[in-house]
Every structure is written in structure tokens, then in C-alpha cells.
Amino acid sequence: MPANPPRPPDLRMPDTALPGDRLLLALKTRGPLSTAELGRVLGVTGEAARQQLVRLEAEGLVEGRREAGGVGRPRQSWWLTAEAQGRFPDTHPELTVQLIGSIERTLGAAALDRVIDARQEEQRKVYLEALKGARTLPDRLRRLAAVRSAEGYMATVRKSGDEYLFIENHCPICAAARACQGFCRSELELFQNVLGEEIEVERVEHVLAGGRRCAYSIREATATGRRR
């Protein structure tokens, strides 16, 4: 077992962070929220949250959407805009896309697949080392989330009934994944590989399919491959 296994990072910004930045991070990690909900998350009044939202909306970083549901007035929630998404880490998207295109055009699609497979193998070794000594599925997922967060994925784990939801709130290789979806295939295979054959992994949210994040349903399987 590693002497100092990675610990999942605290996705909260320090109290010294600017209020607007803390609000943007809350929407990034929690999804659309109402003004009152944002106030509770940030520990401020609803009016203070509203003032920040007015400023961020004027800057083109958030947008309000009304959602019908239940009885009464439609609920208004706040969403990040595409411009706000650009404030979060990305991995040199333009260069990455250019390199992917050059490899495919010059060497062929099979060569690009080999590059992706080689990257997957390197990641597999790193992840297996980080998960070494983790005996339970929750422990393995916490360690995996720590490694993925260090790579920029802002990963968290939630328990939901007899399964876990592994959430990646940000995709630092989104441009590469859009250029070649082999990266997404590789990611799913990688999780299955490092977590073990006795674990079922299913992608339930996908940025490239229109989701605001990628998320995986992960659970222990029975001998027949069905849910426990």
C-alpha cells in the first residue's frame, strides 16, 4: 500500500476566493441551482447571491432558465454559459486537435488507435498503483477520484442505493474527445480494468451526448453479472 495514498481534493474554494468565483464553482460542481440554493451553498443571503448573479449574467458567465414543474410559478435556475466553462482547466485544446488530425491523416486511423491504447496503458499503471491496498469498492473509488481530480477532471463519488455514482464535473480533454471519440471508449475500458472484473461500470451521463458532465454508475456484480 502506498505510504501516502492520494486524497480526494476539497472542491470548495477557500473563503478568500472572490464571491463570483465561488458561485461559478458551485454551479460547475453541483449543476443548475436557484438563487436561494446558491445562497445556502455559499453561506450568504439570497440577496447577496442575487447581486452576484446579476453581475455574472451581465458578463455573460451565467444564464437564468425557467423550468416548469409541479404547482405554482415556474422555478428559475442558473446555468453556466459556454464562456464560463472556458474558465476551467483545459489541456491545450487547439494543439491537441491538430495533433490528432495529423496522426490520422499521416499515419492512419489504426495508428491513432495505437496511440490511444498506449496512453490508456500508461494511465492504467498509474491508477493501479494508486489503488494498491484499497480493499473495498468505496476506497478504490475515492482513490480513483483523487487521481482523476489531479488530472483536472474534478471527480467526486456519491453513494446511491446499492451502487455508486462516479462523477467527473470537468473534462480537460474535451476538445480531443470531440475530435476522436476513441478517448471516451478508452476511459470506460480503463475504469473497468482498474476496478476489476467483479465490478460493473456503465456510463450514464456523457458530455459529448449533451450532458453537462460525465458520470458512471458503478456497482458490484453477482456471479451471473446482474446487480446485487
Side-chain angles (χ1 to χ4, degrees):
M1 178 176 179
N4 295 299
R7 300 176 63 183
D10 188 348
L11 295 182
R12 296 172 298 177
M13 281 192 174
D15 293 337
T16 54
L18 295 175
D21 290 335
R22 296 177 60 217
L23 190 151
L24 293 176
L25 182 64
L27 290 176
K28 180 67 171 174
T29 57
R30 295 171 181 263
L33 297 170
S34 69
T35 303
E37 289 169 339
L38 279 166
R40 288 194 292 271
V41 169
L42 301 177
V44 300
T45 64
E47 177 59 20
R50 187 191 68 77
Q51 292 175 5
Q52 290 297 323
L53 287 165
V54 169
R55 180 179 65 81
L56 293 172
E57 186 177 31
E59 295 176 3
L61 298 176
V62 300
E63 60 179 354
R65 300 182 189 176
R66 293 194 176 277
E67 303 171 333
V71 180
R73 298 173 58 186
R75 159 194 165 98
Q76 182 175 35
S77 58
W78 293 92
W79 296 64
L80 293 179
T81 64
E83 184 175 348
Q85 298 285 358
R87 289 197 169 197
F88 293 91
D90 210 344
T91 309
H92 310 296
E94 292 183 5
L95 176 60
T96 301
V97 171
Q98 290 171 0
L99 288 173
I100 289 171
S102 295
I103 292 172
E104 190 167 20
R105 287 191 301 272
T106 306
L107 303 176
L112 180 57
D113 286 340
R114 289 196 297 273
V115 170
I116 294 173
D117 289 343
R119 174 181 179 270
Q120 178 179 327
E121 178 59 21
E122 291 173 358
Q123 287 181 297
R124 187 185 72 85
K125 293 176 181 177
V126 171
Y127 295 177
L128 286 176
E129 180 63 27
L131 271 58
K132 188 180 296 182
R135 299 183 180 279
T136 66
L137 178 57
D139 193 13
R140 279 180 279 174
L141 291 175
R142 283 191 292 268
R143 294 193 188 190
L144 182 59
V147 176
R148 295 290 284 182
S149 290
E151 295 176 343
Y153 289 88
M154 300 173 68
T156 60
V157 181
R158 294 180 187 170
K159 182 80 165 64
S160 177
D162 63 349
E163 59 189 37
Y164 294 86
L165 195 62
F166 190 88
I167 300 167
E168 295 184 331
N169 289 291
H170 182 63
C171 179
I173 65 163
C174 192
R178 291 187 187 281
C180 175
Q181 294 198 23
F183 287 100
C184 295
R185 168 190 55 76
S186 172
E187 182 175 86
L188 186 59
E189 292 176 355
L190 180 62
F191 288 169
Q192 183 67 73
N193 186 286
V194 299
L195 291 173
E197 293 181 355
E198 74 282 7
I199 304 301
E200 294 182 2
V201 181
E202 177 187 2
R203 183 186 283 123
V204 293
E205 294 185 53
H206 194 196
V207 170
L208 297 191
R212 71 173 184 84
R213 63 189 184 184
C214 287
Y216 298 83
S217 171
I218 298 176
R219 56 190 174 269
E220 296 183 14
T222 64
T224 57
R226 296 175 299 177
R227 293 188 186 191
R228 284 188 174 183

